[in-house]
Amino acid sequence: AKTTQPPSMDCAEGRAANLPCNHSTISGNEYVYWYRQIHSQGPQYIIHGLKNNETNEMASLIITEDRKSSTLILPHATLRDTAVYYCIVRVYYGGATNKLIFGTGTLLAVQP
Amino acid sequence: DARVTQTPRHKVTEMGQEVTMRCQPILGHNTVFWYRQTMMQGLELLAYFRNRAPLDDSGMPKDRFSAEMPDATLATLKIQPSEPRDSAVYFCASGFEGISYEQYFGPGTRLTVT
């Protein structure tokens, strides 16, 4: 399934950052994954979910009931959260391969 | 703190030379991925191994690229001969396959072919 994200967003330091993602063609057994890439580093896993909302030490993931969109929430953004955030729907081909296909992501700029 | 390691971190070479990039996956992981990142194309999957067996290399130019896993602790990506258009950052990632799983990325090898 293809995902659509805004190319860029700003957020004030200390405030919540809400990053949206549309995945209207998601299949029933596909998971939503979020990764981020800080400049010059490898991508970093943040969180994933299937249909229920998820929370870990980094972020929360809110998935709509119809699963056609989701929102990644960073509750208290810091300057170190400035990165490109990728929303990915995991493609699963009958057990033969499991791929993560990265799109262009959202560049989140946290402002002081 | 287990991490994926990649060597070298930077490589500058001349067109036509062979380039070998190495990756040490996290111990216990059974999948390894090679990605390439450029400004124009973003992150592209080149190859994917499970239990050291190549499962998918459809994203890799077959004529000059090859990927192998000689053992569970080493994955290699070779380019022979290299071309300027191969200039990119090459990332290795590893993971443990299951119903849902995450991939852990290394720091990347920045390749410049002149």
Side-chain angles (χ1 to χ4, degrees):
Chain A
K2 183 181 171 64
T3 62
T4 304
Q5 300 177 255
S8 64
M9 294 181 62
D10 287 344
C11 177
E13 188 176 19
R15 304 297 291 269
N18 296 279
L19 293 97
C21 179
N22 286 317
H23 32 78
S24 58
T25 60
I26 191 170
S27 299
N29 61 349
E30 289 180 319
Y31 286 73
V32 179
Y33 282 79
W34 284 84
Y35 281 74
R36 74 179 182 183
Q37 188 173 23
I38 296 170
H39 182 62
S40 297
Q41 297 182 20
Q44 176 190 23
Y45 165 81
I46 300 173
I47 198 167
H48 72 274
L50 182 62
K51 60 176 72 173
N52 299 320
N53 298 337
E54 302 288 345
T55 295
N56 63 20
E57 65 278 4
M58 289 182 67
S60 294
L61 175 60
I62 308 298
I63 303 174
T64 58
E65 191 169 343
D66 63 8
R67 302 210 323 123
K68 293 185 177 182
S69 66
S70 60
T71 301
L72 179 74
I73 301 173
L74 307 179
H76 306 286
T78 70
L79 298 178
R80 289 177 296 179
D81 292 321
T82 292
V84 177
Y85 287 77
Y86 297 98
C87 169
I88 303 161
V89 173
R90 201 191 86 175
V91 181
Y92 185 79
Y93 295 114
T97 63
N98 292 298
K99 296 182 179 183
L100 292 175
I101 299 176
F102 289 81
T104 53
T106 295
L107 174 59
L108 175 68
V110 180
Q111 308 291 341
Chain B
D1 186 21
R3 297 186 182 188
V4 175
T5 58
Q6 291 185 247
T7 56
R9 293 293 311 277
H10 302 272
K11 176 72 175 180
V12 180
T13 191
E14 293 183 348
M15 182 173 63
Q17 297 299 304
E18 177 178 303
V19 175
T20 299
M21 290 169 270
R22 293 177 173 80
C23 167
Q24 182 173 12
I26 293 173
L27 188 65
H29 283 181
N30 66 346
T31 55
V32 170
F33 303 80
W34 283 103
Y35 292 86
R36 175 172 64 182
Q37 186 170 36
T38 62
M39 288 293 292
M40 294 298 295
Q41 300 296 327
L43 266 165
E44 304 172 279
L45 178 67
L46 297 176
Y48 163 34
F49 290 79
R50 184 203 293 151
N51 296 325
R52 295 177 54 202
L55 283 190
D56 188 342
D57 60 2
S58 58
M60 200 163 65
K62 302 294 191 303
D63 56 340
R64 299 182 299 108
F65 284 60
S66 63
E68 295 179 346
M69 281 201 72
D71 60 62
T73 65
L74 177 64
T76 62
L77 180 67
K78 292 185 180 180
I79 308 174
Q80 169 61 23
S82 58
E83 297 180 1
R85 58 179 169 154
D86 300 329
S87 297
V89 181
Y90 291 81
F91 290 104
C92 173
S94 71
F96 190 83
E97 191 165 279
I99 299 223
S100 63
Y101 68 99
E102 52 266 29
Q103 295 180 18
Y104 296 86
F105 283 75
T109 293
R110 182 174 294 277
L111 174 65
T112 302
V113 184
T114 61

